[in-house]
Amino acid sequence: MIRYYLLIMGIFLAFGLIPKSHRLMNALAAGNGMLHLVVSCVALSVLDLPGRLGESLYLDHLNLYVELITALGFTAAAFYARGYTDSLMEAGELDPKNLKTFYLAFNLLLITATVALFSDNLALFWIFAELTTVCAAMLVAILSARENIDAALKYVFIVSGAMLFAFLGLIFLFTLSEQALGEGTLNWTELAAHVSEFSPALLLASFTFMFIGFGAKAGAAPFHTWLPDAYARAPSVSAILSGLMQNLGIYGIIRMYALLRESGAAPQASSILLAAGVFSIALASFSMFQQRNLKRLIAFSSVEHMGLLLIGIGIGTPLALFWALFYMLVHVLVKETLLFSAGILHRQYRSNMRENMWDVFKLQPRAAWSLILGSIAIVGMPPFPLFPAKFFILLESAAISPYLTLAILLMLILAAASFANFLLKAFSKVTLEEEIEGQITRPHSLTGEAELKIAAGEADHDEIRLPRKYAVKSGMRIPAVFMLALALALGFYFPDSLTDLLDAIILELGYV
């Protein structure tokens, strides 16, 4: 079945290379995302899960849930991409000749991620997860600036280097299955059925190696070093997709930990996840406080959230996993809102640095409010849905150690203070000096309309003193509003169908 899927998608990609119109290329990308979204929903509704399609395709509630999140984020990013890439080309930052390469990598990213998620064979999962790294790196390097190429190379070297450890873990796992079953296998379903027969010590070694690879993919500390540069240097839409790929790393960790829960190595594996989670939150929280670069702030926030996800998985209880799974969905919704808004501010100021932002509420009020509301959501304040997710994961962590819970809570408060600190310093800057002194200084660049009004003596104060306002392209605001609205809706209403889906995942992974 994977061959048929790749054949169909190959034809689709070839068709996507034909049009010269940006509108058509973008429509194909958005259609690709929506197609995967609809098919995932239909599969969840009509298929008897878990089940296999052919020899190597495995469908269960977990991989369909992660595919649903990926396709949703991809579709929103596709709608955002049209206006954003138009803006890059107008500014001369993106060569129009590279537009087809951009959309080719854009679509390939979803296709390779889909094959990775639905592969029953862990070796296939590893191969296609590696291919997503290559596709995401192409999107980071698409601007061809030296800093972008450096960030892309750093991304590839760190993640691919770490994934070699994961490959070593797969060899361990294959050897273990060969010793226990007489014939080696890396099929998830066969491993899950026989894992209790494997040596716990070697199984733990295999898990540790694979955690290094998948942890790097997820952006967990200390393997996170590619993440701030990739977020800061990549075009916003590319950073969004890199962020989506983090869920792929978390997915691999959930799968491997579910295997170990059936063996005597589960407590040690849990300790590894908890230690990595606490370290990720600590490193991210302290790194965020002094950040002056908006995208690096958002990147370190992702490291923090990956840490909390690892803790939720490592606690190992059904309730903690339930909220960790929910966390994966909401994190993508809110993080895309932040990156969409940050992208608009970047086009306005041509910078991500807070000292270069002023008069934000005059120039980009909607992006400013999206960023503020997104920040409130990402730090986990009610009524946004990260609040119950964080609350219940922390509540479950208290059963392990109240001191652990207290330490995590303090670090989360520091991370929240970092967002408040950044927004206060970036958004409170207005051209007060001019107003106080009554000296109206014309900026270097004004819109043509403003120039005409000034010449005619009809311009008001704001039109004279403010720099050129970036005209946000059509389609760039709607995805940010949609993702934030969806996150807010989940804060007020938790659908029964979502509860059933998460419960089904927990049941299939053997937690109950």
Side-chain angles (χ1 to χ4, degrees):
M1 288 299 292
I2 286 180
R3 281 177 293 181
Y4 294 122
Y5 172 77
L6 288 176
L7 179 62
I8 294 168
M9 287 295 110
I11 295 170
F12 167 79
L13 288 175
F15 182 69
L17 291 174
I18 296 173
K20 295 181 179 179
S21 160
H22 184 193
R23 176 179 292 185
L24 187 53
M25 282 188 271
N26 182 264
L28 285 171
N32 187 23
M34 292 179 74
L35 177 67
H36 283 76
L37 190 64
V38 171
V39 170
S40 301
C41 291
V42 171
L44 277 170
S45 304
V46 303
L47 291 181
D48 185 18
L49 300 171
R52 296 174 65 99
L53 291 176
E55 293 182 358
S56 52
L57 203 62
Y58 176 70
L59 278 76
D60 65 0
H61 287 91
L62 176 60
N63 54 29
L64 278 169
Y65 175 64
V66 179
E67 172 71 3
L68 200 64
I69 298 172
T70 305
L72 176 64
F74 182 93
T75 305
F79 282 110
Y80 179 83
R82 185 181 164 200
Y84 192 80
T85 48
D86 269 343
S87 174
L88 290 174
M89 288 189 289
E90 286 173 7
E93 296 176 39
L94 175 64
D95 188 339
K97 293 177 182 174
N98 290 335
L99 200 58
K100 284 189 177 179
T101 307
F102 173 82
Y103 279 105
L104 179 66
F106 196 87
N107 287 304
L108 266 175
L109 193 59
L110 180 59
I111 293 166
T112 50
T114 299
V115 177
L117 287 171
F118 294 116
S119 295
D120 189 28
N121 189 295
L122 288 175
L124 274 180
F125 172 74
W126 184 90
I127 291 168
F128 282 94
E130 270 290 76
L131 288 176
T132 63
T133 305
V134 176
C135 297
M138 285 173 65
L139 290 168
V140 173
I142 198 70
L143 298 186
S144 300
R146 179 180 174 180
E147 293 83 356
N148 287 65
I149 294 170
D150 287 347
L153 288 175
K154 189 175 181 180
Y155 177 34
V156 169
F157 284 137
I158 292 176
V159 175
S160 295
M163 285 294 276
L164 287 177
F165 285 93
F167 187 74
L168 192 59
L170 289 179
I171 293 173
F172 270 53
L173 199 56
F174 184 83
T175 307
L176 277 171
S177 65
E178 193 172 33
Q179 289 173 352
L181 308 176
E183 186 177 354
T185 181
L186 285 176
N187 278 2
W188 158 256
T189 44
E190 291 183 40
L191 291 170
H194 299 281
V195 70
S196 58
E197 303 167 30
F198 298 171
S199 160
L202 290 176
L203 196 57
L204 180 63
S206 170
F207 173 82
T208 305
F209 284 126
M210 279 194 264
F211 173 73
I212 293 172
F214 299 146
K217 189 81 183 163
F223 319 109
H224 69 287
T225 48
W226 62 270
L227 193 63
D229 287 340
Y231 269 52
R233 294 306 315 169
S236 279
V237 67
S238 307
I240 291 159
L241 297 175
S242 300
L244 280 173
M245 292 304 103
Q246 289 178 258
N247 269 352
L248 200 59
I250 292 294
Y251 170 82
I253 291 169
I254 291 175
R255 285 281 188 211
M256 286 309 302
Y257 183 69
L259 273 182
L260 260 77
R261 286 190 81 255
E262 303 298 322
S263 76
Q268 291 87 344
S270 177
S271 299
I272 290 172
L273 293 177
L274 291 173
V278 172
F279 183 58
S280 296
I281 296 173
L283 186 143
S285 301
F286 286 106
S287 300
M288 288 167 68
F289 196 69
Q290 293 300 324
Q291 278 302 323
R292 295 182 295 114
N293 184 309
L294 178 56
K295 285 189 180 176
R296 289 182 77 87
L297 177 75
I298 297 172
F300 277 110
S301 167
S302 286
V303 177
E304 173 214 348
H305 289 282
M306 291 303 112
L308 206 54
L309 275 171
L310 291 180
I311 290 172
I313 299 165
I315 290 169
T317 62
L319 184 62
L321 181 64
F322 180 95
W323 288 106
L325 291 166
F326 180 64
Y327 205 112
M328 290 172 70
L329 167 63
V330 180
H331 179 250
V332 167
L333 296 178
V334 179
K335 197 51 66 72
E336 287 209 354
T337 301
L338 289 172
L339 284 166
F340 287 145
S341 306
I344 291 173
L345 292 187
H346 181 263
R347 300 319 303 155
Q348 172 67 56
Y349 300 105
R350 305 295 171 89
S351 171
N352 295 314
M353 305 302 291
R354 73 183 182 204
E355 54 265 34
N356 294 330
M357 298 176 186
W358 67 96
D359 289 317
V360 178
F361 287 105
K362 292 279 187 184
L363 295 169
Q364 297 296 339
R366 293 175 184 170
W369 279 112
S370 291
L371 206 57
I372 290 171
L373 293 174
S375 300
I376 292 171
I378 205 71
V379 301
M381 290 182 67
F384 289 98
L386 278 181
F387 172 71
K390 286 185 175 182
F391 176 80
F392 283 107
I393 289 174
L394 288 174
L395 195 65
E396 288 291 285
S397 71
I400 298 173
S401 167
Y403 299 108
L404 173 68
T405 308
L406 180 62
I408 297 170
L409 188 60
L410 290 174
M411 289 185 286
L412 293 182
I413 291 172
L414 179 61
S418 303
F419 267 100
N421 178 54
F422 185 95
L423 293 179
L424 280 173
K425 290 183 177 175
F427 288 7
S428 61
K429 284 187 298 180
V430 293
T431 49
L432 280 176
E433 296 82 3
E434 298 170 3
E435 292 176 353
I436 291 170
E437 297 172 5
Q439 298 174 351
I440 299 175
T441 305
R442 290 179 59 180
H444 295 299
S445 58
L446 292 170
T447 62
E449 183 181 1
E451 292 279 7
L452 291 173
K453 286 185 177 179
I454 292 167
E458 298 173 352
D460 61 24
H461 177 265
D462 285 343
E463 285 176 306
I464 294 173
R465 70 181 176 81
L466 293 179
R468 184 192 299 274
K469 181 176 180 178
Y470 168 67
V472 181
K473 301 286 182 182
S474 61
M476 289 177 68
R477 286 199 184 101
I478 295 173
V481 173
F482 175 76
M483 297 301 258
L484 186 63
L486 193 53
L488 187 59
L490 285 173
F492 287 104
Y493 175 66
F494 204 110
D496 291 339
S497 55
L498 182 57
T499 305
D500 294 341
L501 173 58
L502 300 183
D503 284 340
I505 294 171
I506 292 167
L507 182 65
E508 286 172 1
L509 291 175
Y511 277 67
V512 290

